[in-house]
Amino acid sequence: MSQAAAADEALLEVVGTDGERLVSLPVAEGEGWCLEWNHSVEGFPVLDCYRHRDGRMVLVRSHLPDFAAGLDHIPGRGRQVSDGEGGYWIEAIDEPVPGNAYRLRVGSMRVDHRLVIDDTRISLSSLAENQRVTIRLSLPPNQ
C-alpha cells in the first residue's frame, strides 16, 4: 500500500525482513499516527501514538483501557489521565524513538497489529502475520 509523497514529506514505512516495503505513507511535520493492537489476554485495543516532530518519530501518548497484564503507567514517564470510560491515557510521554525506527514482531490476526492514521486502519497482521517488520519514519534527502 503506497501513496505518493511530496518531496519534502517524510514517509511512515513498514518494511519486512527481506526489505520489501509493505506500507509507505506520507507524514508531514506535525502529523501523527498510532499503532493499535488487541491485548493478547483481554482482547481490548491498546494504542501507542506517535508524531512526526522536528524530523523525529516521537512517542507522544498511549491508551490503555484497563490495568491488565503488562499494562501500567511508569511513574515519571508521562502523565496518566482517565479516558472517562474506565481506562486511561498516558499523555506527554514525548520520547523520541532511537533512529526513527523500531522492530515489531507482528501478531496473529487475533492480536491484529494495525496502523491508524486519521480514519484509516491498515492491518499489519494481514500483511505480515507472525513476522518481524521495521516501522520507520524515513526523512526526505534534504533533512
Side-chain angles (χ1 to χ4, degrees), residues 1-6 8-16 20-36 48-53 55-59 97 99-104 114-118 120-124 127 133-140 143:
M1 177 171 282
S2 174
Q3 292 180 1
D8 61 343
E9 283 186 311
L11 292 174
L12 175 61
E13 298 177 315
V14 179
V15 180
E20 179 186 2
R21 214 179 294 164
L22 304 171
V23 176
S24 181
L25 299 167
V27 180
E29 171 67 33
E31 289 186 337
W33 66 93
C34 296
L35 180 67
E36 181 180 40
D48 282 337
C49 298
Y50 300 84
R51 188 160 302 283
H52 174 193
R53 186 183 294 158
R56 303 291 310 267
M57 177 192 293
V58 179
L59 175 62
V97 174
N100 282 347
Y102 62 93
R103 305 264 313 196
L104 172 70
R114 51 216 178 264
L115 286 177
V116 180
I117 302 173
D118 298 321
T120 301
R121 279 184 161 63
I122 301 168
S123 172
L124 300 182
L127 298 172
V133 299
T134 299
I135 299 175
R136 69 184 181 200
L137 182 67
S138 295
L139 301 177
Q143 286 191 355

Side-chain angles (χ1 to χ4, degrees), residues 6-106:
D8 61 343
E9 283 186 311
L11 292 174
L12 175 61
E13 298 177 315
V14 179
V15 180
T17 55
D18 61 358
E20 179 186 2
R21 214 179 294 164
L22 304 171
V23 176
S24 181
L25 299 167
V27 180
E29 171 67 33
E31 289 186 337
W33 66 93
C34 296
L35 180 67
E36 181 180 40
W37 67 95
N38 302 326
H39 187 272
S40 61
V41 175
E42 300 297 331
F44 49 60
V46 178
L47 289 144
D48 282 337
C49 298
Y50 300 84
R51 188 160 302 283
H52 174 193
R53 186 183 294 158
D54 299 323
R56 303 291 310 267
M57 177 192 293
V58 179
L59 175 62
V60 292
R61 63 194 287 211
S62 292
H63 183 254
L64 309 159
D66 191 317
F67 287 99
L71 300 180
D72 57 357
H73 174 235
I74 299 168
R77 184 177 186 245
R79 181 180 77 255
Q80 181 178 321
V81 297
S82 172
D83 69 359
E85 298 177 10
Y88 59 99
W89 283 98
I90 301 172
E91 299 282 358
I93 298 172
D94 298 326
E95 290 180 358
V97 174
N100 282 347
Y102 62 93
R103 305 264 313 196
L104 172 70
R105 180 161 171 74
V106 178

